[in-house]
Amino acid sequence: DTYGDKHSLFIRAIGNYEKVAGDRMAKIIDQAASAKDAVRQMLEFITGELLADREHKGCFLVNVAVEVAPHDQEVRDIVCQNDRLVEEFFYKAIKNGQESGEIRNKQDARALARFVFNNVKGIRVNAKSTTDKSFFNDIINLTMSVLD
């Protein structure tokens, strides 16, 4: 009764998950020594959280996006909002890096952020079936090479 019904509780759980991860990513960007360091730290944070899960449940938001969002507009809206937020974290870091000259890739910063975010989604899906850290390190390293 505290949260109303199951759907309301579910929505609050999604919001809490989103806030905790978002706060951590914002902190990474604020405290990173450089733009590239911010992107790498965010990729490593995401991967580390997934690999620490011994049950291989995967990312809660990816699971929600795949299993619930197609049938629930409110959930779909939350997932899309979260996707835009995470993309924006990468965009800010990449844009800052381009402006400082650290990131020499002249591709549009938004397109690069979407590329990196797409790799994040892939990492999150793959974490349900593999725990091979070298697999994820390869993805992170190749993703980072695009920012050179």
Side-chain angles (χ1 to χ4, degrees), residues 46-111:
I46 290 163
T47 303
E49 291 285 307
L50 293 164
L51 291 177
D53 176 17
R54 296 199 187 278
E55 296 176 29
H56 311 291
K57 295 181 299 287
C59 172
F60 180 48
L61 281 171
V62 168
N63 294 339
V64 166
V66 171
E67 297 170 17
V68 182
H71 315 289
D72 186 319
Q73 184 64 47
E74 183 178 10
V75 170
R76 183 175 27 247
D77 291 345
I78 293 168
V79 168
C80 288
Q81 175 187 338
N82 182 75
D83 286 354
R84 286 188 300 272
L85 176 69
V86 175
E87 177 190 311
E88 191 65 21
F89 286 131
F90 286 113
Y91 172 75
K92 286 179 183 177
I94 291 166
K95 186 73 171 164
N96 290 341
Q98 285 179 327
E99 289 172 356
S100 73
E102 177 190 2
I103 296 175
R104 294 184 306 271
N105 189 324
K106 298 298 181 201
Q107 294 289 324
D108 178 69
R110 180 66 61 191

Side-chain angles (χ1 to χ4, degrees), residues 127-141:
K128 289 186 70 92
S129 61
T130 186
T131 58
D132 181 1
K133 187 164 175 34
S134 67
F135 175 88
F136 297 105
N137 286 340
D138 287 344
I139 294 168
I140 291 170
N141 290 333

Side-chain angles (χ1 to χ4, degrees), residues 3 5-18 60-61 64 68 72-79:
Y3 299 102
D5 57 24
K6 287 181 184 179
H7 188 263
S8 297
L9 177 59
F10 183 62
I11 296 299
R12 287 186 65 150
I14 296 170
N16 184 62
Y17 184 88
E18 183 179 51
F60 180 48
L61 281 171
V64 166
V68 182
D72 186 319
Q73 184 64 47
E74 183 178 10
V75 170
R76 183 175 27 247
D77 291 345
I78 293 168
V79 168

Side-chain angles (χ1 to χ4, degrees), residues 19-52:
K19 179 174 177 3
V20 169
D23 288 350
R24 178 68 177 119
M25 286 190 217
K27 186 176 180 182
I28 288 170
I29 287 180
D30 290 342
Q31 295 179 351
S34 68
K36 283 184 184 178
D37 191 45
V39 172
R40 179 173 289 280
Q41 282 186 43
M42 286 191 291
L43 292 169
E44 290 174 349
F45 163 69
I46 290 163
T47 303
E49 291 285 307
L50 293 164
L51 291 177

